[in-house]
Amino acid sequence: MKWFFVALLVACGPAEKPRAPQPEPEPRTCPLPPPAPTASASTSSAATPSVEAARGQTVPIKLVEGRRTSGERWIVPDDFTKQRMLESADPGVKAEVQLCLDDSGKPASIKLISSSCLPSYDARILQTMAEWRYRPFEIDGRPTAICTTVTYIYRQTNFRARHGTTGRF
């Protein structure tokens, strides 16, 4: 009887411990290159009217998002860029954009704060955001220009299957 029990334990081996989920890899972001020097100091010091009009209250994106009246919210890379991400084993990218709206709710200024490291995706984000429209923000009953920061994180859904990682993407 003892031999049967030992043989059964040896045949089955030790119980496999459940794996702990691995943390999600951080999405990749790239710093922006420094701005190119301007030809004349006088032109760089004067702000354009649209940029000047956009300087206003800083508002959290959660408050801004609820006031959007038109424009595509989910901006994803094109298929070619998605394929490049998959081939390079890139788990995801992150881009941050400063969006300033004039007092009528139209984008007055859209500026990358950090790049996704994919120029085509950055361009797509900026182009799509230029089409966004919002109900005007009011302070004391008067329409007001505001600014906010929009963060885009894009992750490949099939990265996990291809690279054998676990966890939620």
Side-chain angles (χ1 to χ4, degrees):
M1 183 74 153
K2 289 183 185 179
W3 292 105
F4 176 72
F5 183 67
V6 172
L8 184 61
L9 284 177
V10 171
C12 295
E16 188 174 315
K17 295 181 182 177
R19 292 187 200 179
Q22 296 176 353
E24 291 183 18
E26 281 296 314
R28 184 170 55 123
T29 186
C30 292
L32 296 176
T38 57
S40 166
S42 62
T43 57
S44 64
S45 63
T48 62
S50 62
V51 174
E52 189 60 42
R55 291 189 180 130
Q57 300 289 327
T58 300
V59 178
I61 186 61
K62 288 181 180 183
L63 296 178
V64 176
E65 191 59 37
R67 301 185 69 83
R68 187 186 339 209
T69 59
S70 68
E72 183 180 342
R73 178 180 181 187
W74 304 110
I75 306 171
V76 298
D78 59 38
D79 290 339
F80 178 75
T81 305
K82 290 179 191 178
Q83 185 64 33
R84 280 187 43 213
M85 287 177 66
L86 183 63
E87 290 168 357
S88 68
D90 201 348
V93 293
K94 177 180 174 182
E96 292 181 302
V97 182
Q98 180 188 43
L99 171 66
C100 293
L101 304 174
D102 64 17
D103 56 5
S104 70
K106 293 180 183 175
S109 164
I110 304 169
K111 182 176 85 172
L112 270 177
I113 298 171
S114 66
S115 170
S116 68
C117 307
L118 302 167
S120 62
Y121 186 41
D122 291 342
R124 186 177 186 120
I125 290 171
L126 297 176
Q127 181 181 20
T128 304
M129 288 177 71
E131 299 169 3
W132 289 357
R133 298 296 180 264
Y134 294 85
R135 289 191 318 270
F137 284 81
E138 294 182 6
I139 296 179
D140 295 330
R142 298 177 64 208
T144 304
I146 60 100
C147 291
T148 192
T149 301
V150 181
T151 302
Y152 272 95
I153 298 175
Y154 179 79
R155 295 186 196 279
Q156 294 281 74
T157 56
N158 53 359
F159 176 82
R160 176 178 33 171
R162 182 167 177 160
H163 298 282
T165 60
T166 59
R168 202 176 105 264
F169 283 92

